[in-house]
Amino acid sequence: MAASAPSELAATGQGALNGIRQAGSAIGVAVLGTLGTLGTLPGTGGVLIVIGLVAVVLISLARARS
């Protein structure tokens, strides 16, 4: 997003990108916290393990592309 912004709006593009990253991080923490409470229910103990493994795979794929 920041690279596609015109040079006179580069700071605005960078600020928007940082805002989106922070919002995504906050939502991710909220979702994982909610799913963490599911682990106390019978039969849902593996939910966080599966989510963690998916996150590791997605992060490694994203780093391999760049």
Side-chain angles (χ1 to χ4, degrees):
M1 179 192 315
S4 63
S7 60
E8 63 271 3
L9 297 175
T12 304
Q14 194 67 13
L17 179 63
N18 287 334
I20 291 169
R21 283 183 182 169
Q22 289 179 359
S25 296
I27 291 171
V29 167
V31 167
L32 286 177
T34 302
L35 292 174
T37 61
L38 294 177
T40 60
L41 300 174
T44 58
V47 172
L48 286 179
I49 293 173
V50 171
I51 291 173
L53 290 174
V54 169
V56 167
V57 169
L58 290 176
I59 290 170
S60 65
L61 289 175
R63 288 187 180 203
R65 289 184 187 169
S66 55

